[in-house]
Amino acid sequence: MDLVTVTSHRAARGREDLALAPGETLLAGGTWLFSEPQPEVSGLVDLTTLGWPDWESLPGVLRIGATCTVSRVLEAPWGPAAGLVRSAADSFLMSWKVQHVATVGGNLCLALPAAAMVSLAAALGATVVIWTPDGGVRQEPVADFVTGAGTTTLAPGEVVRAIDVPTASLWLPTAFRRASLTPLGRASAVVIGCGARVIVTASTTRPVVLDADDLEAGLAAIDCWYDDPHGPADWRAHVTGVLAREVRQELVS
Ligand SMILES: Cc1cc2nc3c(=O)[nH]c(=O)nc-3n(C[C@H](O)[C@H](O)[C@H](O)COP(=O)(O)OP(=O)(O)OC[C@H]3O[C@@H](n4cnc5c(N)ncnc54)[C@H](O)[C@@H]3O)c2cc1C
């Protein structure tokens, strides 16, 4: 939709361009920003002109740039984890067109429970690389970065630069399960096994990391079941339990 209150657009070329004036907001793929009215936004600062690489192989980590699109992320050198990445990308309720512009960083920052890049990154034990307004950098596990439905630890002026995925986690055994109310509906529960960990998203307001060896206690302790038109909380809790047990079984078989 047209954002009728927007009167300016700046293409960011360097870090100094990311200081926002009143009314400005960061624009990545724009798939959410342009999907609903933004009455408080009068200017857009485009991150996609920063020229960040979609991915870089750094010592010990695969770095995925925040502006990498969901469709491009599939082409990164995931090695044995490529199948898991495909399953995560396919779990979006998202058209082909949207997948080609929606970014990994935008998905993390929006922090919807059904944010498939959050599911994937949390499962692989990734950390978020965040540029702070004082010129510094801070890093935080993705599972801690998302604090609730639509909320993160991002402070005013902070920008997500990338996610760093430990390359060691790409070689761990993985399992993926997803449930939704309708075959092509928005994810109501996503459970991913990675090594000895089972990660729950979509059915909870934030990512929950469980120990596969202590699964029942971990499931019983979950206190953030999500409730919306894509599934009531009690149903999500039940389905998540079923999927988590399947994932644990697949990890050991
Ligand atoms: C048809 C359709 C289906 C969708 N299905 C899903 C779905 O199944 N699951 C889901 O999670 N979402 C879904 N979405 C919502 C949205 O498209 C995705 O979450 C997408 O990944 C957002 O990325 P973007 O690059 O388009 O973000 P944008 O719309 O550009 O930005 C989203 C927000 O994040 C901020 N932001 C973006 N990048 C950064 C950054 N690097 N640092 C700091 N802040 C930043 C922006 O300022 C804005 O507030 C859907 C949208 C549509 C239109």
Side-chain angles (χ1 to χ4, degrees), residues 101-193:
V101 281
T103 66
V104 171
N107 193 244
L108 257 69
C109 293
L110 208 51
L112 300 177
M117 293 298 107
V118 172
S119 311
L120 176 69
L124 292 173
T127 55
V128 198
V129 181
I130 299 163
W131 279 1
T132 56
D134 60 2
V137 178
R138 70 176 180 92
Q139 298 208 24
E140 180 171 46
V142 170
D144 296 338
F145 172 75
V146 176
T147 55
T151 60
T152 67
T153 65
L154 216 57
E158 289 188 331
V159 178
V160 169
R161 164 65 186 84
I163 57 168
D164 280 353
V165 183
T167 39
S169 67
L170 305 182
W171 298 87
L172 295 171
T174 60
F176 179 93
R177 294 289 187 284
R178 175 192 196 274
S180 55
L181 279 178
T182 56
L184 295 177
R186 178 164 287 197
S188 307
V190 171
V191 182
I192 301 177

Side-chain angles (χ1 to χ4, degrees), residues 174-178 189-195 197-200 203 210-222 225 234-253:
T174 60
F176 179 93
R177 294 289 187 284
R178 175 192 196 274
V190 171
V191 182
I192 301 177
C194 184
R197 306 179 329 142
V198 174
I199 294 85
V200 176
S203 57
L210 305 175
D211 178 352
D213 291 331
D214 199 14
L215 192 60
E216 297 305 330
L219 286 166
I222 294 177
W225 297 111
D234 57 347
W235 174 78
R236 286 175 131 127
H238 175 74
V239 166
T240 299
V242 172
L243 300 182
R245 288 173 203 113
E246 286 181 14
V247 159
R248 178 181 56 185
Q249 185 60 37
E250 189 175 325
L251 286 177
V252 296
S253 59

